[in-house]
Amino acid sequence: MTAPQVVGRSGVRGTGETTRRTMRGWAVTAMVVALMVINFADKAVLGLAAAPIMKEFGLTAGEYGAIASSFYLLFSLSAVIVGFLSNRVRTTWILAALAVLWSLTALPVLLAASVPALYVSRIALGAAEGPTAPMAVHAVQKWFPERSRSVPTALTNMGGALGLAIAAPTLVYFITHHGWRSAFAALAAAGLAWVVLWAFIGREGPLDTYDAGLHGAENRGAENTDARVEPHVSYRRLFFNGTWLGTLAAGIGAYWALALNVAWLPAYLETSLGYTAAGAGNLVVVPHIVSAAVLLLVPWLSGRWMRGGASGRVARGVTGGLVVIVAGVCMFALPYAGDGLAVLLMTLAFGLPSAVFPLNYLIGAQVVPVRRRGAVLATSTALVTLAGVVAPAVTGWIIDAAPSPGSGFHGAFAVCAGLMIVGGLIGVLTINPEREARRFQLTSG
């Protein structure tokens, strides 16, 4: 009796090949998670070093906010450009190039630290990091079919929260004991070390059509060595439908909170709640731990619900929207709470919204042909992260215009809360991936 055969991208393969492919897929996922850890640590380092940087260069809150916002100046544009490039270039090569580029962006700060150098460094870093998250997800999703895609996608996004949780105390140690420049140098070295490992481990996944990703290569018979030809769906239809617009609205509200967290939460803890720099550095870890947990738990649960018969609309769309709404309510109540309750509300307000990002990526995989997925995911990310351009600067202006930093933060939190509640509600009402998949003739059910 012969062993069961598995059909892969290039023909019939045995069970041993299937096992090796699965192991390779998880190895790629682990590397991508490590990449996202470094990626988000790079984002966080400026916020963690805010106090010594503002003191050294005599910056006001508004001036510092402008530097923080400059990170996003080219972030969205580069995400779109690289996203469309990924239709023709392997994602493994793209990720390696991006990691090299953002590691080199520390040079202006290390060689000649100044306000202009900070602007150059952050703008260049944003351009290099803008495409990273959608390209990382796209790379991982080529290794896993729909039924087993939730956890790898969640882990990829969880890497960001882990980056913030792991990096905060580590970078604060460098900043406190060796100066804030040392933190930039450590992150540059970590990025280059990742590239060396990626050269040995990184490979392109075999699930390169929608049909293969839907069913998995192992479910295609030996007589059918090629996946069904993907239907042509115009970018206009992919970008202008209720599901895509709903994920955009919920994502913008969630990303505003993330940008506010990274740029201003340490300063809020020090100026409004009276924590020391070390205490603030330790406390900002807590929302990131919660974020890491929900980034893994919520997509995993949504995958189980869908395998049990739930629709993507309920398991992913409604769930993601409600999570963002709850975070918005916590954010709105934060200024009116006592110290202990304020920490709890802060943890939920900044920790919960990130769960919507892997859900949105999974929704995108449900409704977008693989050959256009990189471009669509990157464009979605680009538009969502525009909130990062605005949020730090707007927060700085609100603080400068307020009679006290505390009242300024209260106003900034109210703006963020409103965006999350409205965005989450739009997501709940409009996201329906099964409907779009039928309209695009990707599925017949």
Side-chain angles (χ1 to χ4, degrees), residues 48-377:
L48 294 170
I53 288 175
M54 292 173 69
K55 181 179 180 180
E56 179 173 336
F57 298 112
L59 301 175
T60 66
E63 290 169 339
Y64 164 76
I67 294 173
S69 288
S70 70
F71 173 85
Y72 295 96
L73 188 62
L74 298 178
F75 190 97
S76 298
L77 178 62
S78 67
V80 173
I81 292 173
V82 175
F84 279 88
L85 182 65
S86 72
N87 292 344
R88 299 178 179 275
V89 179
R90 290 176 177 268
T91 51
T92 48
W93 298 350
I94 290 174
L95 290 175
L98 292 174
V100 170
L101 289 174
W102 88 52
S103 297
L104 296 178
T105 61
L107 288 178
V109 174
L110 298 177
L111 296 178
S114 63
V115 172
L118 284 171
Y119 271 108
V120 170
S121 177
R122 298 309 284 182
I123 292 170
L125 179 65
E129 290 197 0
T132 302
M135 292 301 98
V137 171
H138 188 38
V140 167
Q141 289 184 342
K142 288 183 179 181
W143 285 97
F144 299 93
E146 165 63 29
R147 67 176 179 277
S148 57
R149 187 175 286 155
S150 295
V151 171
T153 301
L155 287 170
T156 301
N157 285 268
M158 192 180 71
L162 285 175
L164 295 173
I166 295 169
T170 305
L171 294 178
V172 166
Y173 174 84
F174 275 103
I175 292 165
T176 303
H177 293 86
H178 303 288
W180 61 268
R181 293 166 180 80
S182 66
F184 284 76
L187 290 172
L192 293 175
W194 182 90
V195 173
V196 174
L197 287 175
W198 184 244
F200 294 97
I201 298 174
R203 296 292 186 275
E204 203 76 5
L207 304 182
D208 56 1
T209 66
Y210 187 92
D211 189 56
L214 184 65
H215 303 294
E218 64 271 21
N219 287 343
R220 301 202 304 272
E223 72 282 356
N224 180 20
T225 58
D226 294 315
R228 176 172 60 87
V229 175
E230 291 185 318
H232 174 78
V233 186
S234 69
Y235 284 113
R236 179 184 62 80
R237 296 181 69 196
L238 291 171
F239 288 141
F240 292 98
N241 60 79
T243 295
W244 188 77
L245 295 174
T247 60
L248 203 64
I252 287 172
Y255 205 87
W256 189 286
L258 176 61
L260 183 63
N261 182 352
V262 172
W264 282 108
L265 186 56
Y268 168 71
L269 293 171
E270 292 180 46
T271 60
S272 294
L273 298 187
Y275 286 89
T276 64
N282 291 329
L283 192 56
V284 296
V285 172
V286 179
H288 301 315
I289 293 173
V290 172
S291 181
V294 299
L295 277 167
L296 181 61
L297 182 62
V298 173
W300 175 72
L301 285 174
S302 77
R304 291 200 62 177
W305 293 338
M306 290 183 68
R307 287 192 296 273
S311 67
R313 178 180 182 275
V314 173
R316 291 171 177 170
V318 174
T319 298
L322 288 177
V323 167
V324 176
I325 290 171
V326 170
V329 172
C330 292
M331 180 78 73
F332 187 80
L334 175 57
Y336 307 102
D339 287 349
L341 182 57
V343 172
L344 174 62
L345 292 174
M346 176 198 73
T347 299
L348 297 176
F350 290 111
L352 292 179
S354 295
V356 80
F357 300 133
L359 293 177
N360 284 355
Y361 283 130
L362 289 165
I363 291 166
Q366 278 188 268
V367 302
V368 181
V370 175
R371 288 185 173 87
R372 294 200 164 181
R373 188 177 295 162
V376 172
L377 293 182

